[in-house]
Amino acid sequence: MHIRFNVFFFVVFLLFVALILRLEILQIVYGEDYKKEVGRTEDGVVSTPVPRGVIYDRNKEVIVGNVPVNAITYTRLQGTTSEEKVETAKKLARIIDVEAEEIKPRDLKDYWIVTRPDEAKKKIKESELKDEELTNKDRYDRQIERITSNDLKEITKEELKVAKIFRNMNSGYALTPQVIKRNATEEEFAIVAEHLADLPNVDISTDWDRHYPHESIFRSVIGNVTSSKEGLPSSNLDYFLSRGYNKNDRVGKSQLELYYEDVLRGQKAKMKNVTDKGGNLLETEIIAEGQKGKDLVLSIDFDLQMVVEQVIQDELRRTKGRNRFLDRAFVVMMNPNTGEVLSMAGKQLVRENGKYVFNDYALGTINSQYEMGSVVKGATILAGLESGAISTGTTFSDEKLNLKGTPLKGSYSTSLGTNGIVDALKKSSNVYMFKTVIQMMGKEYHSGMSLPRTPDAVQDFRNSFSQFGLGIKTGIDLPNESEGLIGKEAYNKPGLFLDLSIGQYDNYTTMQLAQYVSTIANGGYRLEPHLVKEIHEPSNTHEMGAVYTQFQPEVLNIITMNDTYLRNVQEGFRQVYQSPGGTAYKYFGGDSRFQGFQAAGKTGTAESFYQDPNTKKTHSTYNLTLVGYAPYNNPEVAFSIAVPYLDTDSDPVNKYIGQKILKAYFDLKEHRQSNQSFNNEEE
């Protein structure tokens, strides 16, 4: 028994020795590692930027791409003191060149306090240090207020570079890389990379800038992206923050870049910084690999777009000399069967340094509205037919209308004769439209009659117009589209109802005209116009990624009236272009160069007013417009043209633009079918 106890105690002794040895090994060999693990804290997720998606035209030509730029960044970790950041900033200032002029007085004051602690202490009174009601922030704010301009003069020119770097280090969020310098030179990039061990929390990375191969073409529609300095726009700050963005993230801030932000932004690489309790970085864990943004393929034909923009510039330049107030023109071309916008162009003449220059004003096609004149007469006829006020066999004598309390109202000519629907469109009879509206008021015209107030008839008329996209938003995939300008006085002033019928009252956009004429061309389907044709998955090769989304035609409404009604308007539009006596015949059916287009459509002239922004005086002007489609028996392209603020209606600038853009469309089609390269210059 005694021997057993001795053996037992000996075994216990050996176990204690082994345990003590094990504890010593853990403490001596692995002690530091375990200390780090005990003090390990996960300090949130860091996101790094990825390239935005590329934007292509319908033929896969790059409209907007990316170019890589060298970036030097700093990640602010918890526990890092201001003094440590200044030391790092001093080291960086010896390596990289930064512009110091941008730094603000407040940033200099922050730097002054850190680098001159003894002087900074003197800015706080003893009583303020003892005042328990004051927070440290209160005391700091008082220090800032008491720093004088003479104090700031102590900061040397060399220190200004350090101060700017220090400012950049403190911007944004903790654990989020802040850009210290974008577009760093290759030498700067290499030296920083070589000395990263001596530069705490500094890193090198690749950032991206948007690249526009054709800087001035279609630029206003593409939109812009914020800079890293701008970060999230203040107007949408809460929206972006709620979707996981950081304040210094670059985002689309206008037009296509904004509208398709969720698609173009991509998925940023996400990493978790693991630090100890002192804020020292232990390791970085990759949570998710980054993925560049998805690519957009637009419906825009960029070759066509370039020609259309040049045509507008040429015609504005040619016409400007005889027209004091003419300064802009707009064109929209679209596929009437799909709603795909093929060209969306606008140009504005502005004076810079004593010379006229052209600014891109394509957005004016959706947010600038004008009285469009007789191009809307097709919708007027259809409104009259739908209401039952007229029938397909209705004829009216074109004569001056003598209405009580109203000056004589008539057409541009007194010899238009008696017309049915087709001839009324072909000759552009105002009187036919006036008499149609009078019958919608429940009356029949006779000389000296008074016009009744019929607000319900006005509303029915506008409801009919809206079926074609006139007076309502078209639904195009861009922000800030206008619905036009719809006047309220027409409900109470019958004479304005007459003006409305010939496009002399309500104002519409060029995009609305394109949707309207497309609806007539395709047989009554109002299609949503769209700029994006496809969305593609990102690709790391030169080949485009797989199709993610392909947009199909979106029918907003179908014209439910009798098919015969539309066919009558289509025939009237055909005769406008193709029949002698048609208001556009001379420029299309009567000109051998353009007969092959087999175009149809409607011309328009509206009396308008221009207010001089300098003198505030109002001047009488004309708006010249044109809508059409071709070929009339199987439409594949529709278009609208608006040229406002001409001094005279005698220059057929709208028709010249129409000729040239249709020629460009069909020339381009022919060249592609024969596999020939397209020459943008007119032959």
Side-chain angles (χ1 to χ4, degrees), residues 175-439:
L175 299 173
T176 301
Q178 307 300 319
V179 175
I180 303 300
K181 181 173 183 180
R182 297 183 82 254
N183 293 307
T185 66
E186 293 296 333
E187 182 180 3
E188 290 172 333
F189 202 68
I191 295 175
V192 171
E194 185 180 348
H195 292 85
L196 287 178
D198 300 321
L199 298 166
N201 310 329
V202 174
D203 205 351
I204 57 173
S205 66
T206 300
D207 203 352
W208 302 87
D209 273 343
R210 279 312 224 181
H211 174 59
Y212 309 95
H214 308 280
E215 178 62 38
S216 63
I217 306 294
F218 200 56
R219 189 67 183 81
S220 64
V221 179
I222 293 167
N224 293 299
V225 177
T226 61
S227 66
S228 55
K229 183 178 178 181
E230 290 176 288
L232 301 181
S234 58
S235 57
N236 293 319
L237 183 61
D238 292 340
Y239 168 81
F240 284 117
L241 290 177
S242 69
R243 299 175 70 84
Y245 286 80
N246 293 325
K247 278 188 176 180
N248 64 333
D249 281 345
R250 303 176 66 193
V251 297
K253 65 178 180 180
S254 60
Q255 310 321 323
L256 282 173
E257 292 277 17
L258 172 61
Y259 196 92
Y260 286 98
E261 167 64 23
D262 287 347
V263 174
L264 292 167
R265 66 178 290 200
Q267 298 296 321
K268 295 194 290 186
K270 295 184 178 180
M271 296 174 291
K272 184 184 292 181
N273 282 328
V274 180
T275 65
D276 60 21
K277 290 181 178 178
N280 299 306
L281 184 65
L282 298 177
E283 62 178 310
T284 299
E285 298 176 0
I286 296 177
I287 298 175
E289 298 286 350
Q291 186 180 60
K292 73 180 283 290
K294 293 181 176 65
D295 299 329
L296 300 184
V297 176
L298 304 187
S299 59
I300 292 292
D301 186 325
F302 212 66
D303 287 335
L304 179 63
Q305 178 75 19
M306 287 191 288
V307 178
V308 171
E309 291 195 18
Q310 189 61 53
V311 166
I312 294 174
Q313 289 186 184
D314 291 345
E315 286 302 311
L316 282 175
R317 190 180 291 110
R318 179 189 65 80
T319 314
K320 174 62 180 173
R322 296 184 298 278
N323 294 276
R324 293 169 295 168
F325 309 116
L326 172 65
D327 69 343
R328 66 195 68 183
F330 307 96
V331 171
V332 173
M333 301 182 76
M334 63 191 298
N335 184 328
N337 306 302
T338 65
E340 294 177 4
V341 178
L342 305 175
S343 177
M344 176 180 172
K347 291 291 180 180
Q348 185 173 26
L349 265 174
V350 296
R351 205 168 183 83
E352 291 183 3
N353 299 320
K355 294 182 179 180
Y356 280 113
V357 296
F358 290 99
N359 283 347
D360 184 52
Y361 195 17
L363 285 178
T365 61
I366 66 166
N367 60 28
S368 293
Q369 53 273 328
Y370 306 94
E371 292 172 302
M372 296 298 192
S374 297
V375 290
V376 307
K377 287 178 178 175
T380 297
I381 293 293
L382 291 169
L385 289 168
E386 185 179 30
S387 70
I390 60 173
S391 69
T392 54
T394 299
T395 60
F396 289 124
S397 172
D398 196 287
E399 58 188 312
K400 292 288 184 182
L401 301 190
N402 178 25
L403 302 169
K404 186 176 180 180
T406 303
L408 290 176
K409 298 178 77 72
S411 301
Y412 64 93
S413 171
T414 57
S415 59
L416 298 186
T418 299
N419 302 292
I421 288 173
V422 172
D423 279 342
L425 291 172
K426 169 185 169 181
K427 302 174 187 177
S428 200
S429 168
N430 289 345
V431 172
Y432 196 99
M433 310 305 146
F434 295 153
K435 289 185 176 180
T436 295
V437 166
I438 290 171
Q439 301 215 156

Side-chain angles (χ1 to χ4, degrees), residues 17 33 85 101 181 196 233 235 279 324 427 450 528 590 630 648:
V17 170
D33 291 339
K85 283 185 274 188
E101 292 77 12
K181 181 173 183 180
L196 287 178
S235 57
R324 293 169 295 168
K427 302 174 187 177
S450 296
E528 184 178 76
T648 173

Side-chain angles (χ1 to χ4, degrees), residues 43-55:
D43 286 317
V45 175
V46 176
S47 299
T48 57
V50 294
R52 287 177 74 81
V54 177
I55 302 178

Side-chain angles (χ1 to χ4, degrees), residues 353-587:
N353 299 320
K355 294 182 179 180
Y356 280 113
V357 296
F358 290 99
N359 283 347
D360 184 52
Y361 195 17
L363 285 178
T365 61
I366 66 166
N367 60 28
S368 293
Q369 53 273 328
Y370 306 94
E371 292 172 302
M372 296 298 192
S374 297
V375 290
V376 307
K377 287 178 178 175
T380 297
I381 293 293
L382 291 169
L385 289 168
E386 185 179 30
S387 70
I390 60 173
S391 69
T392 54
T394 299
T395 60
F396 289 124
S397 172
D398 196 287
E399 58 188 312
K400 292 288 184 182
L401 301 190
N402 178 25
L403 302 169
K404 186 176 180 180
T406 303
L408 290 176
K409 298 178 77 72
S411 301
Y412 64 93
S413 171
T414 57
S415 59
L416 298 186
T418 299
N419 302 292
I421 288 173
V422 172
D423 279 342
L425 291 172
K426 169 185 169 181
K427 302 174 187 177
S428 200
S429 168
N430 289 345
V431 172
Y432 196 99
M433 310 305 146
F434 295 153
K435 289 185 176 180
T436 295
V437 166
I438 290 171
Q439 301 215 156
M440 289 183 71
M441 295 176 178
K443 301 291 182 178
E444 188 166 340
Y445 171 73
H446 62 83
S447 181
M449 70 179 293
S450 296
L451 295 175
R453 281 182 64 255
T454 53
D456 289 344
V458 175
Q459 191 56 55
D460 289 344
F461 186 86
R462 282 178 166 154
N463 290 343
S464 182
F465 266 43
S466 69
Q467 292 186 75
F468 297 91
L470 296 173
I472 60 173
K473 293 182 179 182
T474 66
I476 191 170
D477 47 343
L478 284 173
N480 305 317
E481 181 190 8
S482 170
E483 62 181 16
L485 185 60
I486 310 304
K488 295 180 180 179
E489 291 183 325
Y491 293 106
N492 298 310
K493 295 183 178 181
L496 295 179
F497 189 6
L498 301 189
D499 294 337
L500 175 59
S501 71
I502 62 169
Q504 287 279 178
Y505 185 61
D506 285 355
N507 288 206
Y508 309 114
T509 68
T510 316
M511 186 63 69
Q512 288 174 322
L513 289 188
Q515 188 179 59
Y516 149 68
V517 76
S518 292
T519 305
I520 290 175
N522 67 32
Y525 295 85
R526 185 169 76 94
L527 296 170
E528 184 178 76
H530 57 91
L531 288 167
V532 173
K533 184 178 172 68
E534 297 170 347
I535 299 174
H536 285 248
E537 294 283 5
S539 172
N540 294 322
T541 69
H542 293 298
E543 298 294 325
M544 189 171 288
V547 174
Y548 173 76
T549 299
Q550 190 168 39
F551 290 89
Q552 301 300 321
E554 179 73 21
V555 179
L556 299 178
N557 61 267
I558 302 174
I559 307 302
T560 56
M561 62 184 68
N562 190 316
D563 289 346
T564 305
Y565 298 167
L566 267 176
R567 287 198 293 271
N568 269 260
V569 172
Q570 289 170 340
E571 176 58 19
F573 276 20
R574 186 192 71 82
Q575 291 200 26
V576 167
Y577 276 65
Q578 302 299 326
S579 179
T583 54
Y585 173 73
K586 175 182 176 181
Y587 304 93

